[in-house]
Amino acid sequence: GAGVSQSPSNKVTEKGKDVELRCDPISGHTALYWYRQSLGQGLEFLIYFQGNSAPDKSGLPSDRFSAERTGGSVSTLTIQRTQQEDSAVYLCASSRLAIYHGELFFGEGSRLTVL
Amino acid sequence: AQSVTQLDSHVSVSEGTPVLLRCNYSSSYSPSLFWYVQHPNKGLQLLLKYTSAATLVKGINGFEAEFKKSETSFHLTKPSAHMSDAAEYFCVVSDKSNDYKLSFGAGTTVTVRA
């Protein structure tokens, strides 16, 4: 596709359930990021994939959060045993170059509401 | 380490008047600096970027920003606000001290009065 695609756009779940959020980056982009945007706050880095290198998971807030990227393309962010504080918009972004020189292209986000 | 401070959480302007969004950064190395805009329920879009070339950077939609190393600032301006400029704006810094990860400011919400 022309841009970064995320699904679902909205997800309402019950506390304790697992959720999966999907990101389909722009074709040819080797770098992929997940960010979390909570109401009234800036973007919080979660995880970074770059090509075949080991991902930088330093931003994941707990071991309930995990992410994978299959075949260097599509990525899935999984949240296990969701809590109300996980409610946020989860943004995915991709980049063709090292971000120092390039720009990130963002998807429209997946809005997660945990009841 | 790198960080960004956006000095205003909200800015309100009248249509046709100038817009100024202030951003100060901290970086141990020569930084790359970006401004992104986020319209309601949309992803972020790059407005402009500075990567050690010209200090006055022009972006889309009539926005520009000036990199001032002595003041560690990267303020965003537009001479004449339009209703469509109502959005949230993020100042962002990246440098090699943090493996090129981005640090986002908390954002500035711009409202435009008719």
Side-chain angles (χ1 to χ4, degrees):
Chain A
V4 177
S5 178
Q6 290 188 247
S7 61
S9 55
N10 280 285
K11 176 72 175 180
V12 180
T13 191
E14 294 180 346
K15 178 182 174 180
K17 300 285 189 182
D18 296 352
V19 297
E20 283 190 354
L21 307 177
R22 176 188 167 104
C23 173
D24 199 343
I26 294 172
S27 177
H29 282 194
T30 58
L32 188 148
Y33 297 75
W34 282 98
Y35 287 89
R36 179 166 69 175
Q37 185 176 28
S38 301
L39 188 63
Q41 299 184 22
L43 273 67
E44 173 188 7
F45 167 79
L46 297 178
I47 189 168
Y48 165 56
F49 296 90
Q50 172 60 273
N52 294 322
S53 302
D56 179 348
K57 304 179 181 180
S58 60
L60 295 178
S62 77
D63 59 8
R64 296 187 295 105
F65 287 72
S66 63
E68 63 178 21
R69 187 178 185 191
T70 54
S73 181
V74 172
S75 177
T76 302
L77 177 69
T78 301
I79 308 172
Q80 296 179 310
R81 305 181 302 282
T82 52
Q83 303 295 312
Q84 289 183 333
E85 60 263 29
D86 299 335
S87 296
V89 177
Y90 290 83
L91 291 168
C92 176
S94 70
S95 175
R96 182 172 61 86
L97 301 171
I99 193 54
Y100 185 76
H101 301 289
E103 69 175 282
L104 287 184
F105 292 83
F106 283 83
E108 295 191 350
S110 292
R111 182 177 298 276
L112 175 65
T113 302
V114 182
L115 302 177
Chain B
Q2 64 199 36
S3 66
V4 166
T5 301
Q6 291 184 241
L7 301 174
D8 308 288
S9 58
H10 290 87
V11 169
S12 180
V13 298
S14 297
E15 190 174 21
T17 65
V19 182
L20 169 65
L21 305 183
R22 298 181 295 165
C23 172
N24 287 110
Y25 70 90
S26 172
S27 173
S28 304
Y29 299 88
S30 296
S32 288
L33 292 155
F34 308 80
W35 276 98
Y36 281 83
V37 61
Q38 185 180 31
H39 288 92
N41 300 314
K42 297 292 185 182
L44 280 73
Q45 179 186 17
L46 181 71
L47 273 179
L48 49 79
K49 66 179 179 182
Y50 165 79
T51 56
S52 76
T55 56
L56 181 62
V57 181
K58 294 186 184 299
I60 62 172
N61 300 335
F63 284 94
E64 64 180 37
E66 186 171 8
F67 173 71
K68 291 187 176 181
K69 185 175 181 179
S70 61
E71 298 177 9
T72 61
S73 68
F74 190 57
H75 300 335
L76 181 70
T77 60
K78 182 173 180 178
S80 176
H82 190 271
M83 297 299 288
S84 61
D85 295 328
E88 188 157 21
Y89 293 78
F90 294 95
C91 183
V92 185
V93 65
S94 172
D95 70 38
K96 63 181 181 180
S97 73
N98 201 25
D99 196 25
Y100 304 117
K101 283 188 293 194
L102 299 180
S103 292
F104 283 78
T108 298
T109 300
V110 172
T111 57
V112 182
R113 303 184 302 272

